[in-house]
Amino acid sequence: MTRTIIESKSKTTIMGFDQPFTVIGERINPTGRKILNAELEAGDFSRVEADALAQVAAGATVLDINSGAVFSNKMAEDPRYADNNFVEPELMRELVKRVQAITDCPLCIDSSVPGALEAGLEAAEGRPLLNSVTGEEERLELVLPLVKKYNVPVVAISNDDTGISEDPEVRFAVAKKIVERAADFGIPAHDIVVDPLVMPIGAMGTAGLQVFELNRRLRNELGVNTTCGASNISFGLPNRHGINNAFLPMAMATGMTSAIMNPIALPVGPKKLAEKKAEIEAAGIIIPADMDDETFCQMFGLGSTKPRAGKEMEAIRAANFLTNNDESGGEWIKFNKVPAKAGEEGRGRGGRAGGRRRRA
């Protein structure tokens, strides 16, 4: 049975067909996050540390560390900052050190810059996952030697010098090529985690069916573990969580063993709170002066003011249970256990100490 081992200094995550689904938290990534990008440029890593802890609390078993920042202000002062080969290696090294200092969750070192990949590998304790290699010849020659040198598993993305094909046969052929080229370097198939590339279902109606069939072939013919950018499937559509929640268990049933995703339901911010309160008050409903924001959110279905596990994590845990990768449903029960309110600790479901009493 295929097993991909990802380790920190003290914790191991096993990716495999007979293992719980591996959730790779994607939040430590400045791409498209202007505030985080600006903070990193200023040397502020507080949001990175908070995101790391919140993702682990929500159920991430691996944390992706992406160093793709753009330091526009520094670029204006020093032209070297326009080059990612200059920026990313040191930033990656610092990101890895900061995250390792606060959590023992295994890491995924993520960059398109080979120097940043190696910097991350040098700083990482244990056996991180490397993200990524493609079927492009130049990329194979740059990344596979690093995979061999540091004895780590690697994400293999199914595109090559011709780009991303919409034909699943081509994407499978690229994956097979990468597995074979890795073998030439002495890298076993169990250390290759293939990303078959999830296309947006809104742009390609067969995108889901393609991925499910690719998953089956990658499992049955190549014997490799798989991953994907989970939210790609719902890009540009309403109620993305609804689509993601259906897609993930279906992908798992066909052989997908991990996903790079956000495990957190983001907290309700002050702007949304203020808008909802104004709406409620305009409807003539009086909000008690002593009602705290968290109670208000719960009462009016807004969610929570605190980061918590997202709905996708609920779907994944249910699928783990249904595929017998959650023994006796222990994790499912733990995930759904409602915390006792203050003063009610030790009470049974009947609300009385010791629970309901049976009539004589």
Side-chain angles (χ1 to χ4, degrees):
M1 187 65 74
T2 301
R3 299 285 180 87
T4 302
I5 308 298
I6 309 168
E7 297 177 312
S8 66
K9 187 176 181 178
S10 58
K11 184 174 285 186
T12 298
T13 291
I14 302 175
M15 191 185 298
F17 307 122
D18 61 342
Q19 298 293 311
F21 194 73
T22 299
V23 175
I24 304 171
E26 70 179 7
R27 297 271 305 156
I28 303 173
N29 184 344
T31 306
R33 298 184 66 189
K34 292 182 179 179
I35 295 175
L36 176 59
N37 198 98
E39 289 174 348
L40 292 177
E41 185 170 14
D44 179 1
F45 293 86
S46 58
R47 191 178 301 269
V48 167
E49 293 166 349
D51 279 345
L53 294 174
Q55 289 183 104
V56 172
T61 44
V62 175
L63 292 176
D64 188 85
I65 311 290
N66 185 295
S67 56
V70 177
F71 291 168
S72 301
N73 294 328
K74 289 186 176 182
M75 198 185 301
E77 301 169 2
D78 185 340
R80 291 180 300 172
Y81 282 94
D83 183 1
N84 276 14
N85 292 288
F86 176 76
V87 173
E88 289 201 39
E90 280 309 306
L91 177 60
M92 177 65 81
R93 197 184 308 275
E94 188 63 24
L95 286 168
V96 169
K97 289 180 179 178
R98 295 276 184 156
V99 172
Q100 284 181 158
I102 59 170
T103 177
D104 61 354
C105 185
L107 303 181
C108 175
I109 309 301
D110 184 357
S111 176
S112 60
V113 176
L117 293 177
E118 184 149 30
L121 289 170
E122 289 172 349
E125 300 170 338
R127 191 174 196 254
L129 177 64
L130 198 65
N131 190 8
S132 58
V133 68
T134 67
E136 298 166 284
E137 287 300 323
E138 182 180 2
R139 191 74 179 171
L140 289 166
E141 293 300 323
L142 286 170
V143 177
L144 290 181
L146 288 177
V147 175
K148 179 62 177 177
K149 177 181 177 181
Y150 289 91
N151 184 29
V152 294
V154 64
V155 173
I157 302 177
S158 299
N159 68 280
D160 59 13
D161 300 275
T162 63
I164 299 174
S165 174
E166 293 187 359
D167 185 344
E169 289 291 339
V170 173
R171 301 210 298 276
F172 179 82
V174 173
K176 185 177 180 182
K177 170 189 172 180
I178 298 172
V179 171
E180 290 171 347
R181 289 292 294 277
D184 293 339
F185 283 84
I187 301 164
H190 63 250
D191 276 340
I192 308 296
V193 180
V194 173
D195 181 346
L197 292 170
V198 175
M199 305 293 191
I201 192 78
M204 181 191 297
T206 59
L209 294 173
Q210 285 189 5
V211 170
F212 302 150
E213 182 56 30
L214 279 166
N215 288 341
R216 293 186 188 97
R217 295 190 66 190
L218 291 166
R219 176 185 62 191
N220 298 334
E221 297 179 38
L222 299 185
V224 293
N225 282 308
T226 44
T227 195
C228 69
S231 64
N232 289 354
I233 192 70
S234 61
F235 182 79
L237 293 172
N239 190 11
R240 296 185 66 184
H241 294 296
I243 295 173
N244 297 344
N245 291 349
F247 170 74
L248 283 163
M250 294 173 76
M252 292 166 67
T254 57
M256 187 75 74
T257 50
S258 72
I260 301 170
M261 55 180 282
N262 179 12
I264 303 169
L266 297 179
V268 178
K271 181 179 178 181
K272 191 171 182 180
L273 268 171
E275 289 173 350
K276 188 65 176 180
K277 286 180 179 179
E279 178 187 325
I280 296 299
E281 289 171 354
I285 300 171
I286 299 173
I287 303 170
D290 60 349
M291 179 181 285
D292 61 78
D293 288 342
E294 181 65 17
T295 302
F296 178 83
C297 284
Q298 297 295 322
M299 179 171 288
F300 292 99
L302 286 184
S304 174
T305 59
K306 304 170 186 176
R308 68 196 195 286
K311 297 297 288 184
E312 286 87 346
M313 293 303 299
E314 181 177 296
I316 287 169
R317 284 187 166 96
N320 281 335
F321 191 6
L322 291 166
T323 55
N324 200 33
N325 287 324
D326 175 10
E327 188 176 356
S328 302
E331 288 300 315
W332 175 254
I333 293 167
K334 179 181 176 182
F335 177 68
N336 287 283
K337 187 176 181 180
V338 178
K341 295 181 181 179
E344 293 187 358
E345 294 84 353
R347 294 185 177 222
R349 290 184 64 185
R352 299 177 181 175
R356 295 179 184 268
R357 294 185 180 181
R358 298 177 64 182
R359 292 182 181 273

